[in-house]
Amino acid sequence: MPRSRGRLATHSSLTSRRTSSIAAAAGARVVRPTDVLPELAALPGKGEVLWRALAATTGDVLCYLDSDLVDFDPAFVPALLGPLLVEDGVHLVKGFYRRPLRLETAEVDTGGGRVTELLVRPLLAALRPELAGVVQPLGGEYAGTRELLESLPYAAGYGVEIGLLLDTHSTRGLDAIAQVNLGVRKHRKRSLLQLGVVARQLLAAALYHCDVPDAGGDLTQFVPVGGEWLPSARPVTVAERPPMREVRVRYRR
């Protein structure tokens, strides 16, 4: 039977202190990323936090949930873990859902998931069409076996989900991936400029995990200031953490 060591919450910045206090009050064990593998200098990004969570947990199965959900449903957790426990050969379970923004509309094609529809789905069609049936390739609600997750590298930034999906497909095949319907997922809205940065990281990670060269150019965006359109260039680096099983051997405690 899978082992469980309770709920774990990790956070990566000062802005997440409220999340941490709420999680602790609810009974979760809150762990700062810098307290895990302290001998390794921390990298910025979401994937870095998820990677260090592997070292802070001991269960045979893990479930990741984004902390910016609105109207969170605890039923997400057993729904995501279910296929790992009852289906042989399944190692990664992706949640899928309808993603309205805070303001509901009657149209089915409005709401969240803009990066998925405008970038990731076309990208998968071009580079990995076998994954076209994955409804939410970037969804932050998913579960996996420790056997799988400790065997894969983690992109340190926003490319972590697409990297794990691509590598699971490459190493385990399509049958190792399952999906569950989580109904509706509401989340905070990002601006187009913010989504542009996310999209560039995702593109870099996807190309890297598909062995496609990336010129590595900065992302240049334009911001109107005083009647002028001023360029703002952001460097995008693809930082990768090695599989956790390799790190455990090197830094065995």
Side-chain angles (χ1 to χ4, degrees):
M1 291 293 291
R3 295 168 293 167
S4 174
R5 293 294 297 275
R7 294 163 289 180
L8 172 72
T10 59
H11 64 96
S12 58
S13 69
L14 294 176
T15 58
S16 61
R17 284 180 174 175
R18 186 168 179 268
T19 297
S20 302
S21 61
I22 293 173
R29 178 169 62 97
V30 178
V31 178
R32 295 178 181 273
T34 51
D35 293 336
V36 184
L37 296 173
E39 58 273 19
L40 296 177
L43 297 175
K46 174 184 180 180
E48 173 78 357
V49 177
L50 302 184
W51 181 75
R52 288 178 184 260
L54 283 174
T57 57
T58 59
D60 294 330
V61 293
L62 291 89
C63 182
Y64 289 126
L65 300 170
D66 279 347
S67 62
D68 63 347
L69 298 182
V70 180
D71 298 330
F72 170 78
D73 188 344
F76 286 0
V77 176
L80 289 166
L81 293 177
L84 298 176
L85 305 180
V86 301
E87 296 290 340
D88 292 337
V90 171
H91 287 272
L92 179 68
V93 181
K94 296 288 292 183
F96 67 92
Y97 25 68
R98 187 169 65 87
R99 293 184 60 183
L101 299 178
R102 296 292 185 91
L103 179 63
E104 292 279 5
T105 75
E107 300 177 47
V108 297
D109 62 346
T110 59
R114 289 166 287 174
V115 174
T116 295
E117 298 303 329
L118 297 176
L119 173 69
V120 175
R121 215 175 295 289
L123 191 65
L124 290 178
L127 300 179
R128 201 68 67 87
E130 299 86 355
L131 293 173
V134 179
V135 181
Q136 295 288 355
L138 302 183
E141 289 66 54
Y142 54 100
T145 63
R146 180 172 296 277
E147 176 188 347
L148 170 75
L149 296 175
E150 288 203 346
S151 73
L152 301 179
Y154 274 51
Y158 287 114
V160 59
E161 275 88 19
I162 193 65
L164 291 175
L165 178 65
L166 290 167
D167 285 352
T168 299
H169 178 248
S170 297
T171 61
R172 305 277 178 151
L174 192 60
D175 289 343
I177 303 169
Q179 302 183 84
V180 293
N181 189 345
L182 299 180
V184 176
R185 176 193 188 274
K186 295 182 182 180
H187 63 103
R188 62 187 177 92
K189 181 182 179 181
R190 295 178 184 270
S191 70
L192 285 178
L193 289 177
Q194 291 173 323
L195 290 180
V197 176
V198 172
R200 182 63 181 96
Q201 286 193 20
L202 288 166
L203 177 59
L207 294 177
Y208 178 83
H209 286 265
C210 288
D211 297 320
V212 177
D214 184 332
D218 293 351
L219 173 67
T220 300
Q221 298 173 304
F222 291 85
V223 182
V225 178
E228 295 185 81
W229 288 85
L230 302 181
S232 173
R234 296 172 181 260
V236 178
T237 58
V238 182
E240 292 277 330
R241 284 300 195 182
M244 184 58 70
R245 64 174 53 166
E246 298 177 7
V247 176
R248 285 190 183 277
V249 170
R250 183 177 179 183
Y251 298 99
R252 189 177 299 276
R253 291 172 294 183

